[in-house]
Amino acid sequence: MQLNHYLNFHGNTEAAFNFYKSVFGGEFSPLMRYGDMPAQDGVTLSDADKQKIMHISLPINESTVLMASDVNEQFCAQTNQPFTVGTNHYISINLDSSEQAKAKPLFDALSANGSIEMPLDKTFWGALYGAFTDQFGIKWMINCQLENS
């Protein structure tokens, strides 16, 4: 299991991560834009939103990865969570495929009496993923990469 910091930005993730890369070095792994997502019913993205960062990772060392995404207005409306600088941070628990059995118990235990943003479910990037705010106001993500991805 790996715990990482996951940051949200309001349209300037790419600039922020180019800065972090200049400080820490390394290469982005992976970098996905909203335009890379499969089409979803009821979701229309502008050309500008398609260029924003859906997910970016910058490995800092063997055990630490800094990750982030741009949050757009549709996301804020959909999750009923406005973007607020200072509260735009998640703790991300990353499990590999051998730890898949831990994903649901961790999600259920940590989210108890909290607010689920995205239920734990399979994703188009080949993982079990879910996000929530725990009963103490801390934001969490659970991501378990599946073997067949």
Side-chain angles (χ1 to χ4, degrees):
M1 181 184 315
Q2 187 179 48
L3 295 175
N4 291 304
H5 295 282
Y6 201 102
L7 308 173
N8 290 130
F9 294 90
H10 203 242
N12 59 342
T13 298
E14 192 160 9
F17 266 65
N18 281 326
F19 168 73
Y20 298 145
K21 183 177 173 182
S22 76
V23 172
F24 296 111
E27 296 297 324
F28 302 136
S29 174
L31 186 157
M32 294 182 280
R33 298 186 185 278
Y34 281 102
D36 298 333
M37 278 189 330
Q40 296 177 338
D41 289 339
V43 176
T44 304
L45 297 174
S46 68
D47 288 341
D49 279 344
K50 286 179 184 177
Q51 292 305 308
K52 290 182 181 171
I53 304 295
M54 184 184 82
H55 176 80
I56 190 169
S57 294
L58 179 62
I60 304 297
N61 59 37
E62 271 187 34
S63 59
T64 307
V65 179
L66 187 60
M67 298 179 283
S69 62
D70 282 314
V71 176
N72 60 33
E73 303 312 318
Q74 276 186 328
F75 174 83
C76 292
Q78 191 175 25
T79 61
N80 199 27
Q81 296 184 18
F83 176 85
T84 306
V85 173
T87 62
N88 53 330
H89 179 268
Y90 287 79
I91 298 172
S92 177
I93 297 177
N94 297 288
L95 305 165
D96 65 32
S97 60
S98 69
E99 300 173 298
Q100 183 176 345
K102 295 179 183 178
K104 183 159 177 36
L106 272 171
F107 185 90
D108 291 345
L110 285 168
S111 65
N113 300 315
S115 173
I116 294 175
E117 179 180 313
M118 187 172 179
L120 188 68
D121 205 353
K122 289 183 181 178
T123 65
F124 72 89
W125 63 85
L128 286 176
Y129 173 83
F132 56 90
T133 302
D134 73 17
Q135 62 185 316
F136 301 103
I138 304 301
K139 294 175 174 263
W140 294 83
M141 297 174 168
I142 306 286
N143 189 80
C144 179
Q145 208 56 45
L146 301 174
E147 271 190 65
N148 297 336
S149 56

